[in-house]
């Protein structure tokens, strides 16, 4: 792969399509969706992650990732978005986690402030598998009663940590969980409980 690997066919129309799907996913947390387009990405970036990050990031949104800064994946993201890489997760507007199996320390990311909750880091987490199920129960705004999801590759204590870091509303961390060409959104207002 090369850092100059092609991005969107049409930056305007493709990013608009992806953004519409993301807005719908944020409005209905736990709903599994596709990004609305097909995108070829470097090896360690799932197609859905690439589409979301190319849509969301620009030169004003520093990003952090668990990939090496000189990797072809990071160079591809920088080339197509202009977003600068930061070595401090707390300074990142967006964070791409390609391997969720090690413990993810959410305290490293910015939860925003009461005055500026929008300054928080949004996490894009690539899972090893994602499906509707009963392993994780979701409740909160946008969910009529409750929704259920099953993720592969994420440690159970991650969800407990997520609950703690999102208790002090309006601060917290929004998350987008991805598997290959599908994703679901978990805003900070969504409560999760392991069943």
């Amino acid at each position: 792969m090369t850092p100059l690997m092609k991005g969107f066919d049409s930056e305007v129309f493709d990013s608009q399509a992806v953004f519409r799907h993301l807005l719908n996913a944020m409005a209905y947390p736990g709903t599994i969706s596709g990004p609305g387009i097909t995108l070829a990405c470097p090896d360690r970036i799932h197609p859905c992650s690439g589409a979301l990050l190319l849509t969301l990031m620009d030169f004003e949104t520093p990003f952090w990732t668990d990939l090496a800064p000189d990797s072809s994946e990071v160079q591809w993201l920088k080339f197509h978005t202009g977003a600068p890489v930061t070595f401090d997760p707390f300074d990142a507007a967006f964070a791409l986690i390609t391997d969720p199996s090690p413990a993810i320390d959410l305290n490293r990311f910015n939860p925003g402030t009461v005055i500026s909750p929008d300054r928080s880091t949004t996490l894009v987490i690539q899972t090893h598998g994602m499906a509707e199920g009963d392993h994780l129960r979701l409740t909160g705004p946008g969910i009529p009663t409750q929704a259920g999801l099953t993720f592969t590759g994420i440690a159970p204590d991650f969800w407990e940590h997520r609950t703690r870091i999102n208790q002090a509303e309006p601060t917290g961390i929004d998350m987008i969980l991805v598997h290959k060409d599908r994703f679901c959104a978990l805003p900070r207002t969504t409560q999760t409980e392991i069943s």
Side-chain angles (χ1 to χ4, degrees):
M1 294 296 173
T2 164
L4 300 182
M5 186 178 178
K6 182 180 177 182
F8 286 145
D9 287 331
S10 168
E11 288 191 21
V12 173
F13 294 113
D14 287 350
S15 61
Q16 287 178 345
V18 174
F19 194 67
R20 283 194 299 271
H21 282 78
L22 177 58
L23 286 179
N24 189 68
M26 293 295 283
Y28 301 100
T31 302
I32 297 175
S33 172
I37 66 161
T38 301
L39 180 67
C41 298
D43 288 341
R44 288 175 289 178
I45 298 180
H46 292 199
C48 195
S49 299
L52 290 165
L53 292 171
L54 262 57
T55 297
L56 293 170
M57 298 197 312
D58 60 28
F59 68 95
E60 294 183 317
T61 57
F63 76 98
W64 177 90
T65 179
D66 56 0
L67 297 170
D70 60 350
S71 66
S72 61
E73 289 84 0
V74 170
Q75 298 307 311
W76 181 78
L77 288 170
K78 288 171 59 179
F79 178 79
H80 286 293
T81 66
V85 177
T86 177
F87 296 99
D88 185 349
F90 198 85
D91 293 333
F94 298 97
L96 170 63
I97 298 173
T98 63
D99 183 5
S101 53
I104 301 172
D105 184 1
L106 296 178
N107 290 319
R108 300 177 67 197
F109 301 100
N110 190 347
T113 66
V114 172
I115 296 174
S116 300
D118 58 309
R119 299 248 174 188
S120 65
T121 305
T122 297
L123 302 188
V124 177
I125 302 173
Q126 296 185 165
T127 68
H128 298 163
M130 174 174 62
E132 294 180 0
D134 57 4
H135 175 252
L136 190 70
R137 288 194 298 267
L138 279 60
T139 56
I143 304 172
T145 52
Q146 69 176 26
L149 292 171
T150 298
F151 295 102
T152 307
I154 298 179
D157 60 357
F158 170 82
W159 302 109
E160 298 168 12
H161 194 176
R162 179 187 177 275
T163 296
R164 289 196 301 272
I165 207 163
N166 288 336
Q167 283 179 337
E169 292 184 26
T171 63
I173 294 176
D174 299 320
M175 301 178 184
I176 305 169
L177 289 103
V178 175
H179 180 62
K180 296 184 178 178
D181 59 356
R182 301 187 304 157
F183 77 101
C184 71
L186 294 183
R188 68 193 71 183
T189 54
T190 301
Q191 290 85 51
T192 56
E193 181 183 0
I194 296 176
S195 55

